[in-house]
Amino acid sequence: MHPSLCTRRHWLARAAAFMAAPAAGLAAEPAAAAPRPPGLLLAVEAAPDIDPAGFLVSEKYDGVRAVWDGHTLRTRSGLAIAAPAWFTQRLPAVALDGELWAGRRRFEDLSGAVRRAAPRQAEWQHIRYLAFDLPGVPGPFSARYERLASLGQEVDAPHFQAVEQRRVATRAGLQRWLEAVVAEGGEGLMLHRADALYTTGRSAVLQKLKPEHDAEAVVLAAVPGRGRHAGRMGALRVQTPTGRQFLLGTGFSDAEREAPPPPGSVVSYRHRGYTESGLPRFASFLRVRDPASAAGAGDQSRSAGVSQRGSAP
């Protein structure tokens, strides 16, 4: 039963039982109505030349982070997800850390389905829960993964899957896998230290490896900033060679915000592929090109390996 349909007494009893359970590797929600974000392990950006030795590696899925406490699916912020009863009833009764996923290049559809107050059955037919860790299980990640892989075989639910983890011997092999995943529409790879105990917060035991691309755009205008950028440029409105406009707001130094590139200038930026609507994802300013080249600016998108610049998931 969804928590909003439970009586107050029933919900308090459930919360108390979850807090006392040995598998409660996720922070429980207090009795107050406001959700409490669960304690999760968060990834850092991987260096372009990261050595995969000592890591277990999996694909990075473009989904919605979701934790399962044995009763309820919750977002990273702690909000309950209104999933259909048939979806949650067949999930295992253990704490899980994972991702709701609807397939490559379908994040917008997935996000819309997950945000609904009442689930739409047709949308959830295409969603899977991909589990990548067991927060309540002691021991190193390699042992937790073995248990999770066994759980994936034991649970009779087509929408539940344990994320496959692999050992990768060389940097070249890691790069080949990254390129193959991206070519098929994937986001990148995740590297998890095989010997790491489960921890919370952002940690180098979990690293994300994603490609980046360089491109160019023409500056249309400087948009005034707010907050700490009040009184100076907050973002540039730019236009791509295909006519798409977007705001470029990260990657600038204070000096560049004080004296932004004038309209007509061509700027280079780095991004991580495109959204379903065709706009650059996680675009970050790199440099100003020659203003005289504005008329001939073309998309210079190319694989540029991986950088520690960019936004966290």
Side-chain angles (χ1 to χ4, degrees):
M1 181 181 295
H2 192 282
S4 63
L5 303 179
C6 296
T7 64
R8 178 178 175 80
R9 179 177 300 174
H10 181 67
W11 173 239
L12 291 175
R14 179 188 292 180
F18 175 55
M19 291 178 68
L26 308 173
E29 171 178 301
R36 180 179 176 183
L40 297 176
L41 172 60
L42 304 176
V44 301
E45 297 279 352
D49 60 346
I50 185 172
D51 185 352
F55 289 92
L56 285 172
V57 186
S58 66
E59 180 174 341
K60 185 184 187 304
Y61 294 96
D62 186 16
V64 173
R65 186 80 173 266
V67 294
W68 171 248
D69 61 15
H71 303 283
T72 305
L73 277 171
R74 296 187 181 279
T75 66
R76 179 172 160 180
S77 62
L79 295 174
I81 297 171
W86 61 262
F87 191 96
T88 56
Q89 285 171 354
R90 299 177 71 180
L91 295 180
V94 295
L96 298 169
D97 190 358
E99 196 105 344
L100 289 169
W101 190 64
R104 290 167 174 162
R105 300 190 179 98
R106 293 196 60 189
F107 178 79
E108 282 80 2
D109 294 338
L110 170 71
S111 180
V114 170
R115 290 199 307 266
R116 297 191 195 284
R120 292 184 180 177
Q121 302 296 327
E123 293 177 329
W124 281 84
Q125 294 288 342
H126 304 287
I127 297 174
R128 284 184 282 167
Y129 184 65
L130 308 182
F132 45 71
D133 211 340
L134 289 164
V137 175
F141 178 62
S142 57
R144 299 199 305 275
Y145 170 62
E146 289 181 7
R147 175 68 189 105
L148 184 59
S150 297
L151 196 61
Q153 297 295 321
E154 297 166 5
V155 175
D156 182 22
H159 58 274
F160 173 71
Q161 178 182 331
V163 173
E164 179 188 6
Q165 305 283 343
R166 305 182 198 172
R167 297 273 188 177
V168 181
T170 65
R171 292 182 174 90
L174 187 69
Q175 188 62 33
R176 285 194 297 271
W177 187 9
L178 175 65
E179 292 171 356
V181 166
V182 173
E184 294 174 359
E187 268 210 324
L189 301 175
M190 299 296 296
L191 293 87
H192 198 146
R193 287 289 310 179
D195 58 357
L197 302 178
Y198 192 86
T199 185
T200 60
R202 204 165 295 281
S203 171
V205 304
L206 182 65
Q207 302 192 35
K208 53 190 174 184
L209 185 63
K210 298 198 291 186
E212 290 192 335
H213 309 272
D214 289 354
E216 294 180 350
V218 178
V219 176
L220 300 179
V223 178
R226 301 178 181 177
R228 71 184 187 90
H229 295 315
R232 57 184 181 176
M233 184 267 289
L236 292 177
R237 180 171 294 280
V238 300
Q239 181 171 294
T240 70
T242 60
R244 305 305 299 270
Q245 295 184 19
F246 67 97
L247 293 179
L248 184 61
T250 63
F252 299 98
S253 67
D254 288 343
E256 288 164 337
R257 291 187 184 278
E258 294 289 348
S265 300
V266 175
V267 296
S268 294
Y269 63 93
R270 181 163 289 162
H271 65 99
R272 290 178 171 166
Y274 297 90
T275 65
E276 289 184 5
S277 60
L279 295 178
R281 300 187 64 181
F282 305 111
S284 180
F285 173 79
L286 285 177
R287 65 186 67 87
V288 178
R289 307 290 293 184
D290 184 352
S293 66
D299 189 348
Q300 305 295 319
S301 295
R302 58 179 173 79
S303 177
V306 183
S307 166
Q308 295 194 45
R309 300 181 62 168
S311 303

